[in-house]
Amino acid sequence: MTIEARIGIVGGNGWLGNAIASAAVSSGTIDGKNLILSGRSGKRGALDVPGAVHTRDNAELAEKSDIIVLSVRPDDFAGLNIDASGKLVISVMAGIAADDIAARTGARRIVRSIPNAAAAIRRSFTPWFATPDVLDSDKRIVQALFDACGEGAEVPQEAHIDYCVGLTGSGAAFPALLAEAMIAHALSQGLPPDFAARAAKGVVAGASQLFEDRDSDTSAIVQEMIDYRGTTAAALQTMLDNGIKHTVALGLEAAAAKAAALGKPA
Ligand SMILES: NC(=O)C1=CN([C@@H]2O[C@H](COP(=O)(O)OP(=O)(O)OC[C@H]3O[C@@H](n4cnc5c(N)ncnc54)[C@H](O)[C@@H]3O)[C@@H](O)[C@H]2O)C=CC1
Ligand SMILES: O=C(O)[C@@H]1CCC=N1
């Protein structure tokens, strides 16, 4: 689907806002000339967004946009002054409730979402939640925008978005941590650093394709490896016995707790 509406991204020169803009244009989902990106510094983001207009003026952005994406840090939201009444507002901010967005912007049609860093390579799995006033036509645009960034998925409750801050937002950093742990151990065993990094990154990135198929069952894959009763089973069982699932759960809960704290006034 091509989005014909004009989209303004507040914080559009930041990490995520810039990635969303770049994904939307490079996928052909929106023409760059229909994008206006604001940022405090006035500098462009790291990714090129052909045709997009850059501004430091959020009033200009609001005036020129049909849809406003809020992509400032949660801490900066309280200082944001923008009138989005009558417009669709799509927030990517962690922890900021739809009611607070409505109160600050005057908008009633509000979508909350949690993309992740893989939006930069158009591989973000992005849950989104729509408040009751959001129109079906708005929803089609939101889905198209997040499909351009990877894969969008509507969730039925706002609480799911608060949970997904950890699962799909922060979770995108977990494979790098796994690779880092594998590299650190390989180095401790005397393997050459370049080789250790190539090997661990190659395994984590490459083997994740094993379960990329939507219908694949990760627990079946793990069980199959354990049932093989070889070296992989020894590694997996030791990690399970040492609480890897509990550690991951604690990480997910910490991310959600941090998001809840970010959303509360200081
Ligand atoms: N980086 C990520 O992977 C993810 C980020 N998020 C959320 O996305 C939002 C943006 O995060 P990042 O892009 O990582 O942060 P960032 O710091 O890279 O970008 C934020 C941008 O907002 C701009 N900004 C601040 N106040 C402004 C204002 N009043 N008007 C216009 N621009 C303003 C800054 O100049 C900066 O470029 C955050 O709320 C974060 O919770 C959500 C999911 C994943
Ligand atoms: O780390 C963060 O605060 C952002 C929000 C969710 C993922 N990244």
Side-chain angles (χ1 to χ4, degrees):
M1 169 182 167
T2 307
I3 300 174
E4 303 294 347
R6 295 163 302 173
I7 300 183
I9 306 183
V10 184
N13 64 349
W15 188 350
L16 184 59
N18 179 231
I20 292 170
S22 170
V25 172
S26 66
S27 63
T29 305
I30 191 165
D31 190 320
K33 72 175 177 359
N34 286 333
L35 275 181
I36 178 163
L37 314 178
S38 76
R40 264 191 311 219
S41 65
K43 288 187 186 147
R44 287 159 191 254
L47 300 168
D48 187 32
V49 186
V53 173
H54 293 260
T55 182
R56 298 176 68 162
D57 182 351
N58 288 328
E60 180 195 2
L61 179 144
E63 192 191 310
K64 290 184 173 166
S65 304
D66 307 305
I67 298 168
I68 296 176
V69 176
L70 298 179
S71 189
V72 301
R73 299 258 183 137
D75 285 346
D76 287 327
F77 176 66
L80 188 67
N81 186 13
I82 191 161
D83 179 4
S85 43
K87 306 200 177 194
L88 171 65
V89 167
I90 304 172
S91 167
V92 299
M93 298 180 293
I96 307 291
D99 282 350
D100 294 336
I101 295 168
R104 175 148 291 280
T105 65
R108 291 181 57 87
R109 289 152 55 221
I110 294 168
V111 166
R112 284 187 61 198
S113 65
I114 292 292
N116 62 53
I121 53 166
R122 302 193 49 217
R123 299 297 296 265
S124 167
F125 181 89
T126 306
W128 56 272
F129 164 78
T131 54
D133 287 314
V134 172
L135 307 170
D136 285 345
S137 54
D138 295 332
K139 290 187 176 191
R140 286 193 286 276
I141 289 173
V142 172
Q143 183 67 31
L145 182 65
F146 290 129
D147 280 347
C149 299
E151 180 184 348
E154 184 178 7
V155 294
Q157 293 176 26
E158 186 169 3
H160 295 156
I161 293 297
D162 291 317
Y163 176 75
C164 283
V165 168
L167 187 70
T168 67
S170 309
F174 296 2
L177 181 62
L178 175 62
E180 195 201 348
M182 291 165 75
I183 292 167
H185 187 262
L187 293 180
S188 78
Q189 301 303 301
L191 273 82
D194 281 0
F195 172 83
R198 272 178 54 217
K201 289 194 293 185
V203 167
V204 173
S208 65
Q209 309 299 308
L210 286 172
F211 57 79
E212 193 181 44
D213 173 10
R214 188 185 280 266
D215 296 327
S216 68
D217 177 348
T218 50
S219 65
I221 294 171
V222 170
Q223 194 56 50
E224 198 182 334
M225 303 291 185
I226 289 176
D227 291 346
Y228 187 91
R229 294 160 66 101
T231 62
T232 312
L236 294 176
Q237 196 60 59
T238 300
M239 287 193 266
L240 286 166
D241 292 346
N242 281 277
I244 189 164
K245 287 189 179 178
H246 181 62
T247 301
V248 171
L250 291 178
L252 292 172
E253 285 165 18
K258 173 75 176 176
L262 287 171
K264 290 204 178 82

